[in-house]
């Protein structure tokens, strides 16, 4: 059973401010109240929101304009309300209820703090969790209402927070030491799939809880995300390659995320063994330095190899057996060697 992490002193203030933002509108705290409260916090989280055009006065004005359920497009999973004390322990106010999405965000903030080796969770952990749910929530709806993109907020938070520094020779790396900022969204996606034992209420509320993921489904979702970040509406095999490498590199650095549902059963390691890594492939695609023709088949045709119970190794063999965009990248970045027929 996971222990409950306490919020630090600034985040205690955030929780109090969230109750104030809720006002007299019942007892439920939603992601919209948490977001408005984070904006008022001193430090990188509040600064990132303000820099993206979502400071406290703007968010509170938009929040006031949406009082009542009728003013929202998103329900925030309010029907799955969770007592605050089940999530926050003694920090939670008696009688307070969290929307399902707010409960996930607070639990996610605690998980990020654990991965960072912190003893308490911060407003920065909470902001990342609020924007990494994977589904539309009232927090993201509130941001869009004021013209701020969640991705822009996270980019500004990445820039504001101190970067992790790789340890010296012989030093034991911390849980999140040296993780490339480009890989944080992948880490968050794996985290949202519940790679750790969690309380029953959280299993019911967590998308992709243990036992629901499959290699093809996870990799398709990750490939879609990689394509979107690179400005493509639909993924190609190059984005499947990025997905394989991203999952491999995150779970190698943070083994606690490598539960069976992460589906990294060797395919990512096989690709890395050919001399390529996530940063190199991402940079090549961003710069357009490798000529890429159309893929011979659809992404779904290749992912079906993993979906038939054959695992990611079979997927890699399928990607490299044909003249795919993924294979061209591997051959160009892996020293020019041919990978056709690679087993």
């Amino acid at each position: 059973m996971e222990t409950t992490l306490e919020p630090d002193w600034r985040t205690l203030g955030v929780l109090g401010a969230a109750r104030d933002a809720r006002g007299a509108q019942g007892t439920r705290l939603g992601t919209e109240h948490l977001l408005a409260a984070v904006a008022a916090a001193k430090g990188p989280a509040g600064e990132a929101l303000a820099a993206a055009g979502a400071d406290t006065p703007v968010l509170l004005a938009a929040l006031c304009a949406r009082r009542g359920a009728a003013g929202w497009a998103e329900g925030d999973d309010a029907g799955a309300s969770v007592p605050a004390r089940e999530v926050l322990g003694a920090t939670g106010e008696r009688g307070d209820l969290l929307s399902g999405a707010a409960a996930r965000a607070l639990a996610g903030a605690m998980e990020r703090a654990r991965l960072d080796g912190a003893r308490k969770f911060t407003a920065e952990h909470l902001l990342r969790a609020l924007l990494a749910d994977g589904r539309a929530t009232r927090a993201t709806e509130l941001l869009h209402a004021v013209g701020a993109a969640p991705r822009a907020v996270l980019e500004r938070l990445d820039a504001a927070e101190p970067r992790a520094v790789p340890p010296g020779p012989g030093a034991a790396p911390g849980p999140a030491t040296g993780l490339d900022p480009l890989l944080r969204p992948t880490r968050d996606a794996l985290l949202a799939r519940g790679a750790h034992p969690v309380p029953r209420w959280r299993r019911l509320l967590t998308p992709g809880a243990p036992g629901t993921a499959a290699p093809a489904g996870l990799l398709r979702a990750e490939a879609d995300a990689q394509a979107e970040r690179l400005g493509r509406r639909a993924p190609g095999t190059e984005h499947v390659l990025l997905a394989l490498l991203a999952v491999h590199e995150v779970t190698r650095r943070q083994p606690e995320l490598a539960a069976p549902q992460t589906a990294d059963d060797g395919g990512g390691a096989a690709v890395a063994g050919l001399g390529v890594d996530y940063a190199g492939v991402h940079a090549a695609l961003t710069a357009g330095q490798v000529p890429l023709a159309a893929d011979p088949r659809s992404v779904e045709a290749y992912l079906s190899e993993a979906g038939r119970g054959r695992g990611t190794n079979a997927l890699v063999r399928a990607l490299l057996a044909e003249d795919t965009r993924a294979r061209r990248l591997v051959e160009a970045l892996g020293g020019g060697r041919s990978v056709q027929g690679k087993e």
Side-chain angles (χ1 to χ4, degrees):
M1 177 69 70
E2 291 179 341
T3 56
T4 298
L5 289 190
E6 294 181 355
D8 68 3
W9 67 272
R10 283 189 302 125
T11 315
L12 275 173
V14 167
L15 295 175
R19 297 183 191 102
D20 291 340
R22 176 192 61 192
Q25 303 294 313
T27 57
R28 184 191 62 81
L29 281 172
T31 59
E32 70 274 28
H33 306 123
L34 292 172
L35 181 73
V38 168
K42 292 183 178 180
E47 292 166 6
L49 283 164
D55 58 14
T56 304
V58 168
L59 288 177
L60 287 177
L63 185 60
C64 288
R66 282 169 169 72
R67 292 293 188 192
W72 296 93
E74 301 300 332
D76 222 49
D77 286 345
S81 294
V82 178
R85 288 213 159 189
E86 287 192 19
V87 184
L88 294 167
T91 304
E93 288 285 322
R94 290 187 183 277
D96 271 355
L97 292 174
L98 302 169
S99 71
R104 282 195 301 273
L106 287 163
M110 293 178 200
E111 196 62 47
R112 283 166 177 75
R114 290 188 185 95
L115 291 175
D116 288 344
R119 299 181 66 178
K120 296 185 178 183
F121 71 92
T122 66
E124 288 68 45
H125 292 130
L126 179 54
L127 180 57
R128 289 191 184 281
L130 281 168
L131 302 186
D133 187 281
R135 292 187 288 182
T137 63
R138 289 189 178 181
T140 56
E141 183 179 337
L142 191 61
L143 280 179
H144 288 304
V146 301
R151 185 186 304 173
V153 174
L154 290 173
E155 287 173 353
R156 292 183 182 276
L157 183 57
D158 286 340
E161 283 191 305
R163 296 280 181 94
V165 178
T177 299
L179 184 67
D180 190 319
L182 288 171
L183 292 172
R184 283 180 175 173
T186 301
R187 179 196 68 176
D188 291 346
L190 296 180
L191 186 61
R193 286 184 174 261
H196 301 269
V198 292
R200 180 177 179 275
W201 69 263
R202 188 173 164 197
R203 290 200 303 271
L204 294 174
L205 295 175
T206 301
T212 65
L218 182 145
L219 288 172
R220 176 59 201 247
E222 183 65 23
D224 284 344
Q226 296 291 341
E228 182 182 355
R229 288 176 213 136
L230 287 167
R232 286 282 300 274
R233 295 184 63 183
T237 58
E238 70 272 33
H239 304 112
V240 178
L241 178 68
L242 280 175
L244 283 162
L245 287 168
V247 171
H248 167 68
E249 292 181 24
V250 169
T251 55
R252 182 187 61 179
R253 187 168 295 280
Q254 297 180 217
E256 63 271 27
L257 292 180
Q261 64 269 19
T262 63
D264 185 18
D265 59 357
V271 174
L274 294 171
V276 296
D277 61 16
Y278 180 87
V281 174
H282 189 279
L285 288 171
T286 302
Q289 68 188 58
V290 179
L292 300 175
D295 284 315
R297 295 188 285 159
S298 69
V299 163
E300 287 76 13
Y302 295 101
L303 288 173
S304 68
E305 297 296 328
R308 294 170 184 159
R310 297 174 184 171
T312 55
N313 270 309
L315 169 60
V316 170
R317 287 194 293 272
L319 287 173
L320 302 184
E322 299 176 2
D323 186 21
T324 62
R325 296 163 71 91
R327 195 183 90 182
R328 290 195 177 198
L329 283 162
V330 172
E331 289 182 335
L333 302 176
R337 73 192 83 174
S338 174
V339 295
Q340 188 170 9
K342 184 75 178 178
E343 291 292 330

